[in-house]
Amino acid sequence: MTTVWLVDRQFDSKGLVRLTYATEDGERIHTKELAEQRLVTGGGITAGREVEESALGETPADEVERFASEASKMAAEHDLDDTV
């Protein structure tokens, strides 16, 4: 399992939220989409998560530095299961 940290969330007009988690080096990402309603009823979003290596993708080159910075900040300020 690999630890990833929340680095980005995007809301769309259809009521979906796309969460992007990244490794601390910013090189690998894991994305998850869920209904916006689930944010309210599902207990929130955690600062980090453990995912299988096979569930990770490559970070777009123009986002690596930003994602590394955000992931490192989240790791320093939160426990994995903190709600953010």
Side-chain angles (χ1 to χ4, degrees):
M1 298 291 267
T2 301
T3 301
V4 291
W5 298 93
L6 184 65
V7 296
D8 191 55
R9 40 183 140 192
Q10 297 176 353
F11 297 82
D12 73 9
S13 61
K14 298 175 186 171
L16 291 177
V17 180
R18 171 175 259 189
L19 304 171
T20 302
Y21 291 83
T23 54
E24 280 191 69
D25 63 8
E27 296 287 332
R28 309 277 290 162
I29 59 171
H30 173 74
T31 58
K32 180 178 177 174
E33 286 188 347
L34 56 115
E36 190 174 347
Q37 181 63 28
R38 187 152 180 255
L39 292 177
V40 177
T41 62
I45 303 301
T46 58
R49 34 188 346 196
E50 296 285 334
V51 297
E52 295 289 336
E53 181 71 26
S54 61
L56 296 173
E58 295 292 321
T59 301
D62 61 335
E63 295 284 18
V64 172
E65 189 175 314
R66 180 174 78 92
F67 285 178
S69 174
E70 292 295 325
S72 293
K73 249 191 271 187
M74 289 295 272
E77 296 174 5
H78 297 281
D79 289 331
L80 207 58
D81 59 353
D82 283 353
T83 301
V84 293

